[in-house]
Amino acid sequence: MVRENLTFGIVWDSEAAIAKRAMQAAGDDEDRIVLLVKRISSFRPETRSAILAFIDVMLSQRQSPEGSLVWHALREEVGRHEYFADADWAMKQDERDAITAIVERHRPTDPLVTERQLFDDWMLHIGRDAQNDLDDADVLRKEALDRILFREGTAGILRLARMVKIPSLIGPALRLTSITEEQLLELLGAAVATTVPGDLSFYVSAIGAERFGKHWRKQLKDHLLTLLRDPQAIAHLMLGWPLETATWGFVKSLGDDAYDEYWRQIQALPVAGTLKDLLFAVKEFRRVGRSLEVFGLVHPRIRDLSPDLILALLAEGHRQIASGQIKMGTMLSYYLNEAFLSLQAREDVNEEDIARLEYIYLPLLIHENRPLALYNFLSSDPAFFIEVLSYVFRGKNAPSDTSPTEHERARAQVSYRLLSSFRTVPGLKSQSIDEGALNKWVDGVRECATKVGLSEIADQYVGYILAHAPIDPAECLWPPSPVCALIERLVSKDIETGIRIECVNKRGVVTSGMYEGGTREREDALRYEEFAAAVARYPRTSAMLHAISETWRRQAEEEDVRAGLRKMERH
């Protein structure tokens, strides 16, 4: 069997054959032909010419006043290549000219076809010299709408909205035109009565309220709103109006249902208005169950809210999280963090109030680069520490035949995350530990733990925290003497176990060479031997440090064995 050598000629002939079959398969199916148009620049010039000839014949036989799908696709494609003519992938000038000739030869008779291209794409690929920034785009779209209004009136705007790909571009540009109040009313009435894409009714209503104020409100109430029965639809027409008392009073006059719907739908607060208006709007958000959303909308003026109001919003907002009614996306954590920062900056706020709310929102705050008041409260209030511990562990006297509810499981997860991240040693100030404060906290924790049957696990967690005590620069020993004295006084194996485990775990992940062996582990073992020698006057503490050193020494030997096996495998 002789294999054929693949040459460029064979590839090009194959491409031409495939294109021919594609045109035959497409027939007069516009959707299929549009796919060919969108891929036309991928073909060789000879194949492109054949496809264009096919399209030229098709357009001469099938074209509507508004333009067929194929014509619009061809116009967009040549416009794109014209706009990016300097790119390597763009077709050459002579080929663009050939396509432009076909586009112009079959240009539809409807004058809206020229204007619609401004509303078919966010980026204006309408020519090589077009300025593609938003300001110029708005001007071009405004001028197009002015021409349509002059030529066809509001009927032309409605036709355009139903014709273009991105009808939502019409509303913002319409704001720049010289459209009259009478035309706005006519356009709004038609938009409400029929299905018009692009939220045109919202924009038209907002433009009227902005330009004509009180008279516009009267016109709507007398001539249009009486035709609407759906409170949601009524409220929707007012969402773009100025955020001020006049707007809210007008919406209130339309009935309680429409008024409530307005506050459920509105996505802004009057942050540029008076404090009175801002507080009124916040109150209405709270009334319809949107307390949590306030933080994202009031962010620029969070400092104008009183501490009591922020605390109330946070207390109400956690229920919104529990019910899944969150509409603030990934920014929620940031806005909540800003709210707590604002509270911490106020001198008249109880730290316990902040801490308990941080506890509720902990999953959203744990990764923020901010010291939590919650940690300070845990390290100063033994009862609260045991309360958190009791959500994770079952006490000795608790019934063992009950299954936790979904709420209890969620609370246990949050509490475990808090305990795992809590490393604030009670009484620690500027690298030194207040021995009295430390002993008072630990004794309080053990007393509370005994009452709920959590003595052993509470002691282990106390040890976990003590393992994070820093070296006191004045003593140059570890653990610092207040911790050593505590260990000697309490004689608790569980506390010592907690310290030993965390001293090993807190080193974290360490990357070693394949044949390095236990070098780093021996360094840790030596360090803890030195610690043990430095605190020899505290026998239990010294023995505990010797045990930690021995743990590292055993791990060093294990690493040596692993490194040796790797060397043997290599050879």
Side-chain angles (χ1 to χ4, degrees):
M1 179 179 176
V2 179
R3 298 186 63 178
E4 181 181 31
N5 291 325
L6 189 63
T7 65
F8 283 113
I10 293 174
V11 172
W12 295 336
D13 289 344
S14 299
E15 178 189 272
I18 292 171
K20 183 177 180 180
R21 290 191 179 188
M23 288 184 281
Q24 290 172 346
D28 59 358
D29 187 325
E30 289 199 71
D31 290 329
R32 291 188 173 188
I33 299 174
V34 166
L35 292 178
L36 277 174
V37 171
K38 290 182 177 180
R39 299 291 185 273
I40 196 167
S41 61
S42 302
F43 295 105
R44 295 185 66 247
E46 293 83 354
T47 306
R48 274 203 291 267
S49 296
I51 294 173
L52 288 173
F54 167 73
I55 292 173
D56 194 7
V57 173
M58 180 268 177
L59 290 176
S60 66
Q61 297 172 348
R62 296 188 59 185
Q63 184 67 294
S64 68
E66 295 180 356
S68 66
L69 291 176
V70 175
W71 184 88
H72 285 288
L74 196 63
R75 190 231 350 126
E76 290 174 6
E77 188 66 11
V78 72
R80 187 169 68 91
H81 282 265
E82 185 73 26
Y83 190 82
F84 294 105
D86 294 334
D88 292 339
W89 51 264
M91 291 185 288
K92 303 303 180 185
Q93 182 68 56
D94 57 338
E95 294 181 292
R96 298 199 305 270
D97 290 343
I99 298 176
T100 301
I102 295 175
V103 169
E104 292 303 321
R105 184 158 58 247
H106 301 289
R107 179 170 288 278
T109 57
D110 190 337
L112 278 188
V113 169
T114 301
E115 279 92 3
R116 70 163 285 180
Q117 61 185 311
L118 296 167
F119 302 91
D120 278 345
D121 201 324
W122 294 98
M123 305 290 285
L124 297 184
H125 300 158
I126 59 174
R128 190 71 191 99
D129 298 325
Q131 295 296 316
N132 191 28
D133 61 49
L134 293 179
D135 291 338
D136 285 345
D138 285 341
V139 171
L140 290 171
R141 288 169 183 145
K142 176 261 183 190
E143 292 173 349
L145 294 180
D146 274 332
R147 288 194 299 270
I148 295 170
L149 282 170
F150 178 78
R151 189 174 62 238
E152 301 183 44
T154 57
I157 302 296
L158 290 171
R159 273 208 315 128
L160 182 71
R162 295 188 178 97
M163 182 187 298
V164 300
K165 291 183 179 180
I166 310 178
S168 59
L169 292 174
I170 295 175
L174 194 64
R175 188 186 298 270
L176 304 175
T177 67
S178 56
I179 189 169
T180 66
E181 183 179 20
E182 182 180 357
Q183 287 176 317
L184 284 170
L185 278 172
E186 182 181 331
L187 187 55
L188 182 58
V192 168
T194 60
T195 302
V196 179
D199 222 0
L200 187 60
S201 59
F202 166 86
Y203 286 108
V204 172
S205 178
I207 295 169
E210 180 183 288
R211 290 189 186 178
F212 306 109
K214 184 177 180 181
H215 190 261
W216 177 257
R217 295 194 292 270
K218 185 178 185 305
Q219 291 282 74
L220 254 63
K221 197 167 187 178
D222 292 346
H223 303 294
L224 183 62
L225 295 179
T226 54
L227 303 176
L228 295 176
R229 293 291 180 266
D230 182 7
Q232 291 185 349
I234 295 173
H236 184 73
L237 291 179
M238 269 64 78
L239 296 180
W241 289 22
L243 297 170
E244 58 188 21
T245 304
T247 294
W248 304 328
F250 177 75
V251 181
K252 182 71 172 176
S253 72
L254 302 177
D256 291 341
D257 290 342
Y259 185 68
D260 290 347
E261 279 300 326
Y262 171 86
W263 289 109
R264 290 190 186 101
Q265 295 182 42
I266 193 71
Q267 295 298 318
L269 285 171
V271 291
T274 66
L275 179 59
K276 180 181 178 181
D277 283 351
L278 178 62
L279 294 178
F280 175 83
V282 169
K283 183 190 72 171
E284 294 303 296
F285 265 66
R286 294 175 64 189
R287 186 178 61 82
V288 297
R290 299 179 66 189
S291 299
L292 192 63
E293 293 176 58
V294 167
F295 293 112
L297 302 174
V298 80
H299 174 64
R301 293 186 64 178
I302 185 69
R303 296 184 184 280
D304 288 340
L305 303 189
S306 69
D308 288 342
L309 178 53
I310 295 176
L311 289 170
L313 288 166
L314 288 168
E316 296 160 1
H318 85 271
R319 291 190 288 273
Q320 189 178 352
I321 291 181
S323 63
Q325 300 174 356
I326 300 176
K327 300 178 182 179
M328 294 164 60
T330 56
M331 292 298 292
L332 176 58
S333 178
Y334 171 77
Y335 290 131
L336 286 174
N337 184 61
E338 291 297 301
F340 281 108
L341 278 175
S342 178
L343 285 174
Q344 286 181 317
R346 316 284 180 97
E347 297 181 355
D348 54 344
V349 184
N350 189 322
E351 185 179 56
E352 179 178 353
D353 292 336
I354 300 176
R356 289 190 175 276
L357 285 169
E358 284 181 339
Y359 181 41
I360 291 173
Y361 289 101
L362 188 62
L364 293 166
L365 302 175
I366 199 71
H367 299 297
E368 294 295 330
N369 187 22
R370 174 179 65 85
L372 298 178
L374 180 57
Y375 294 146
N376 291 334
F377 187 51
L378 275 173
S379 65
S380 62
D381 192 307
F384 182 58
F385 178 82
I386 294 302
E387 178 186 338
V388 173
L389 196 71
S390 67
Y391 293 143
V392 182
F393 301 97
R394 195 191 303 268
K396 286 184 177 180
N397 301 325
S400 58
D401 57 348
T402 58
S403 298
T405 64
E406 184 176 344
H407 173 70
E408 289 171 337
R409 283 195 294 269
R411 187 171 60 180
Q413 291 175 348
V414 171
S415 300
Y416 180 74
R417 183 180 297 186
L418 173 60
L419 292 172
S420 299
S421 62
F422 174 49
R423 299 170 183 175
T424 304
V425 179
L428 178 64
K429 293 181 180 179
S430 301
Q431 298 296 103
S432 297
I433 296 175
D434 183 324
E435 186 170 2
L438 175 64
N439 281 278
K440 181 179 179 181
W441 185 84
V442 173
D443 291 343
V445 164
R446 303 185 87 213
E447 181 182 349
C448 293
T450 301
K451 294 178 182 178
V452 294
L454 292 172
S455 296
E456 289 82 359
I457 192 63
D459 273 6
Q460 284 193 31
Y461 265 91
V462 167
Y464 166 86
I465 297 163
L466 295 178
H468 291 277
I471 296 177
D472 190 332
E475 295 181 325
C476 295
L477 56 83
W478 193 89
S481 56
V483 175
C484 294
L486 181 68
I487 293 171
E488 303 299 319
R489 177 173 70 85
L490 295 180
V491 191
S492 169
K493 291 183 178 179
D494 291 312
I495 288 179
E496 294 164 23
T497 297
I499 294 175
R500 289 202 306 271
I501 292 173
E502 183 58 15
C503 281
V504 175
N505 290 342
K506 71 180 182 179
R507 186 181 72 163
V509 178
V510 175
T511 303
S512 301
M514 287 188 65
Y515 312 115
E516 184 177 345
T519 302
R520 300 191 185 192
E521 286 72 19
R522 273 188 289 275
E523 291 174 354
D524 288 327
L526 178 60
R527 184 158 57 94
Y528 277 95
E529 281 294 338
E530 292 172 350
F531 287 160
V535 297
R537 67 181 182 276
Y538 299 105
R540 288 194 68 87
T541 306
S542 183
M544 178 190 72
L545 295 172
H546 279 298
I548 296 172
S549 176
E550 184 60 28
T551 298
W552 285 119
R553 187 166 282 106
R554 287 196 302 271
Q555 289 195 18
E557 293 172 355
E558 293 172 1
E559 289 297 324
D560 288 341
V561 171
R562 293 191 186 96
L565 291 173
R566 292 190 193 103
K567 290 179 181 178
M568 293 175 62
E569 291 172 356
R570 182 182 179 185
H571 298 291

